[in-house]
Amino acid sequence: MEILITALLIVILVVLAATVPALLRDGRGHTPPVESHEAWSALDLPSINYTLRVF
């Protein structure tokens, strides 16, 4: 039982040791800005609500 707990603690420490540098390196929420080069259009969406179209 002690071996299992020791192995579990080692795994948790390794996971934390790998997670912290990964978060510091790339996990700060930096995302490139979204650029739109085309005008927005609704394409083939209906101009009235679906519930009104049924009746």
Side-chain angles (χ1 to χ4, degrees), residues 1-45:
M1 187 68 168
E2 293 85 13
I3 294 175
L4 181 63
I5 294 173
T6 304
L8 184 62
L9 286 175
I10 291 172
V11 168
I12 290 173
L13 289 175
V14 168
V15 167
L16 287 175
T19 302
V20 170
L23 288 176
L24 291 177
R25 188 176 344 114
D26 193 36
R28 297 179 186 246
H30 172 72
T31 55
V34 177
E35 296 180 8
S36 177
H37 300 289
E38 297 180 11
W40 183 86
S41 67
L43 299 176
D44 59 348
L45 294 177

Side-chain angles (χ1 to χ4, degrees), residues 40-54:
W40 183 86
S41 67
L43 299 176
D44 59 348
L45 294 177
S47 59
I48 59 174
N49 291 340
Y50 177 76
T51 54
L52 294 175
R53 291 176 62 200
V54 172

